Amino acid sequence: MRDSPNEFDVIVLGAGVIGVNAAYWNLRHGKSVCVIDRQPASGLETSFANGGQVSVSHAEPWANPAAPLKVLKWLFRSDAPLLFRPRLDVRQWLWLARFLVDCLPRRADRHTAEIVKLATQSRDLIRTVRAEEGFHYDERSKGILHFYRDRRDFESAIRVAALMRKYGCNRTVIDADQVVEIEPAFNDMRGEIAGATYTPEDESGDAFKFTQALAQICERKGGIFLYNHQVTALEADRACRQVRSVEICGPDGYRTLRARDVVVSMGSWSAPFLRRYGVKLAIYPAKGYSVTIPTGGSNGAPVVSLTDDEHKLVYSNLGDRLRVAGTAELSGYSRDLNYGRCQAILRNVKALFPRAGNFEHASFWSGLRPATPSNVPYVGRTRYRNLWLNTGHGTLGWTLGAGSGFRIADMIAANEGPLAA
Ligand SMILES: Cc1cc2nc3c(=O)[nH]c(=O)nc-3n(C[C@H](O)[C@H](O)[C@H](O)COP(=O)(O)OP(=O)(O)OC[C@H]3O[C@@H](n4cnc5c(N)ncnc54)[C@H](O)[C@@H]3O)c2cc1C
């Protein structure tokens, strides 16, 4: 369908890593696709400077049986890995209540299984697309190593690793000597490591470069990207359960676009945007930070992608930069940088890898993870027959993006899919 410049088969709202993946897979189904974003280019919001891990091994959601006690312990520490700042916002409290329910062992196991399945499919698709389209994004296929200094944390990781292996993720348990063998940068702290797990098939790279490269490939396949355009409204017919058009506002004013199908991939803004159409999503922004350290000339930076369980930080070597990201703050939609939290990350990196790079020239960033209580994203239809959800990927948007883009494109092509909200 492309009878007029304002008509498409599929309109994707949002050009983050999730929206761009959705566009790509719909284009592969032969659809005409238009992507709308308020930013001047793709990947400039939460997909910009994330931790860089494609990590099936990270599938255990934050909402797990150990979480409530840890969160209580961290409640009053401003540098806590997971920080809750209570607000007069009923949605924040409702989200937290659902998070606590999702910590129940059976629910946490079920969500882990769902995420492992989607993440594994997604990681395979990322490799396929990279090979078929021939593009690069500082990717490394050296696996992901989760290391533990606390023996009790390591022992509970052994249980989680076994659960993941049951669902098909090859997360193996290793000792400190094997850690140093895999990542020699750990040599000086061998004695501090209680143990680790290693997932050789996991990968890392620059999610922003990936998103931009995939957006360019989409354009070459005929996809239209309208940047600097705010999505302002949907013309939603509740009686006919159909979205008739999308209203956008750009440099030339308001414009109306029509499409057979509309996919919502607006990250943390999906929930407030859809509320007025009666589609209620349990997505709350979980602010995270990243620090990027130039590594030129130094040889002490880890090469393998790492997860420091104690501080909830991930490390990815992006060629001439070391990206370290993590922590979560449930404090609303502000992206303000908290200097104390940025410095806390930097201190951790310096303590662990003092020769990693030029710490004086580190840059800081924050992003809002579109977090669902279970960390399982919404991928499916809404009460409107042609309005689809591909959003709420929380801590794992890059990892899950190809898989969920593939699935939503399949559902649209078949014109059927599960009711997601
Ligand atoms: C610190 C940190 C570390 C992370 N580390 C990892 C990691 O190592 N591995 C991993 O897999 N994931 C990681 N993540 C999670 C991952 O980055 C996110 O899940 C992912 O970026 C979400 O992508 P998205 O496309 O849904 O959202 P976004 O990238 O935010 O994209 C949404 C887009 O919608 C647009 N938009 C919103 N509202 C409107 C509107 N009204 N009109 C027009 N446009 C609109 C925005 O401009 C934006 O471009 C991390 C996140 C953070 C914060």
Side-chain angles (χ1 to χ4, degrees):
M1 170 166 135
R2 206 66 242 269
D3 299 335
S4 106
N6 291 332
E7 290 187 1
F8 301 88
D9 291 324
V10 179
I11 295 179
V12 179
L13 310 183
V17 70
I18 300 302
V20 173
N21 267 297
Y24 176 80
W25 290 104
N26 273 291
L27 283 161
R28 284 193 48 153
H29 275 281
K31 306 274 182 183
S32 61
V33 176
C34 177
V35 184
I36 320 287
D37 204 288
R38 59 189 172 196
Q39 295 290 345
S42 59
L44 286 175
E45 296 212 1
T46 318
S47 309
F48 183 64
N50 73 15
Q53 291 192 333
V54 176
S55 48
V56 180
S57 56
H58 218 127
E60 190 193 26
W62 283 339
N64 62 61
L69 205 67
K70 282 192 180 164
V71 174
L72 262 183
K73 205 172 77 186
W74 289 329
L75 207 51
F76 300 104
R77 268 179 47 193
S78 66
D79 64 344
L82 213 152
L83 186 68
F84 174 57
R85 290 191 198 278
R87 293 163 62 89
L88 276 176
D89 175 359
V90 69
R91 288 187 190 94
Q92 188 195 41
W93 288 92
L94 280 174
W95 189 95
L96 197 70
R98 291 177 70 163
F99 177 89
L100 289 173
V101 173
D102 283 335
C103 289
L104 291 169
R106 275 222 178 136
R107 294 179 74 90
D109 282 4
R110 198 178 70 225
H111 297 143
T112 305
E114 275 180 57
I115 296 170
V116 169
K117 201 167 159 205
L118 178 57
T120 306
Q121 179 189 22
S122 194
R123 192 181 57 194
D124 291 348
L125 288 170
I126 289 175
R127 283 202 197 109
T128 308
V129 172
R130 186 170 69 216
E132 287 180 5
E133 306 291 352
F135 66 106
H136 295 285
Y137 45 90
D138 296 325
E139 72 276 9
R140 280 181 196 259
S141 305
K142 288 180 174 289
I144 293 183
L145 196 153
H146 287 225
F147 65 97
Y148 301 83
R149 277 167 282 209
D150 183 283
R151 180 139 292 277
R152 264 190 308 185
D153 285 347
F154 174 52
E155 273 154 19
S156 58
I158 294 175
R159 188 198 72 83
V160 175
L163 182 72
M164 287 195 181
R165 284 198 299 279
K166 189 173 118 194
Y167 298 135
C169 170
N170 178 25
R171 188 172 167 188
T172 53
V173 177
I174 57 173
D175 63 23
D177 288 337
Q178 288 168 300
V179 167
V180 179
E181 222 170 275
I182 293 166
E183 177 47 76
F186 276 113
N187 195 29
D188 294 347
M189 56 168 299
R190 186 189 306 244
E192 289 172 45
I193 295 172
T197 65
Y198 181 55
T199 313
E201 293 81 9
D202 275 349
E203 301 195 343
S204 61
D206 187 329
F208 172 62
K209 283 191 182 175
F210 175 93
T211 306
Q212 292 236 312
L214 197 61
Q216 279 170 16
I217 290 163
C218 288
E219 285 181 305
R220 286 206 292 275
K221 289 185 185 296
I224 306 284
F225 282 72
L226 295 178
Y227 293 119
N228 294 310
H229 280 79
Q230 182 85 19
V231 179
T232 44
L234 301 175
E235 189 196 335
D237 184 333
R238 285 189 194 221
C240 295
R241 296 174 42 233
Q242 210 176 348
V243 168
R244 302 212 174 275
S245 64
V246 177
E247 182 195 76
I248 61 173
C249 183
D252 299 326
Y254 284 89
R255 194 170 149 191
T256 300
L257 304 177
R258 292 184 189 281
R260 278 205 197 116
D261 293 285
V262 176
V263 181
V264 179
S265 297
M266 294 156 86
S268 291
W269 290 267
S270 304
F273 177 73
L274 287 178
R275 206 171 293 139
R276 64 190 126 145
Y277 307 105
V279 178
K280 293 187 183 129
L281 306 182
I283 294 178
Y284 198 80
K287 179 155 75 169
Y289 292 87
S290 77
V291 174
T292 306
I293 302 150
T295 54
S298 45
N299 58 2
V303 177
V304 174
S305 188
L306 309 173
T307 300
D308 175 351
D309 184 77
E310 186 183 349
H311 298 105
K312 300 278 176 266
L313 292 177
V314 302
Y315 290 67
S316 291
N317 189 316
L318 306 175
D320 55 355
R321 298 161 293 150
L322 178 66
R323 171 75 47 75
V324 186
T327 79
E329 204 176 303
L330 293 177
S331 57
Y333 285 79
S334 160
R335 278 190 50 206
D336 287 352
L337 279 174
N338 176 320
Y339 184 75
R341 287 175 83 71
C342 294
Q343 289 303 321
I345 298 179
L346 206 55
R347 267 197 309 278
N348 279 315
V349 188
K350 276 186 192 166
L352 210 54
F353 304 113
R355 297 185 304 280
N358 188 343
F359 292 102
E360 301 292 306
H361 287 92
S363 55
F364 303 104
W365 171 85
S366 75
L368 301 176
R369 299 177 188 90
T372 63
S374 63
N375 212 33
V376 177
Y378 291 96
V379 185
R381 45 163 92 242
T382 63
R383 59 163 69 187
Y384 301 94
R385 277 189 298 247
N386 61 341
L387 181 66
W388 303 84
L389 298 172
N390 186 24
T391 190
H393 295 69
T395 56
L396 285 179
W398 187 25
T399 305
L400 302 176
S404 67
F406 179 90
R407 286 188 186 182
I408 203 76
D410 254 9
M411 290 177 201
I412 290 173
N415 197 21
E416 62 182 24
L419 190 67

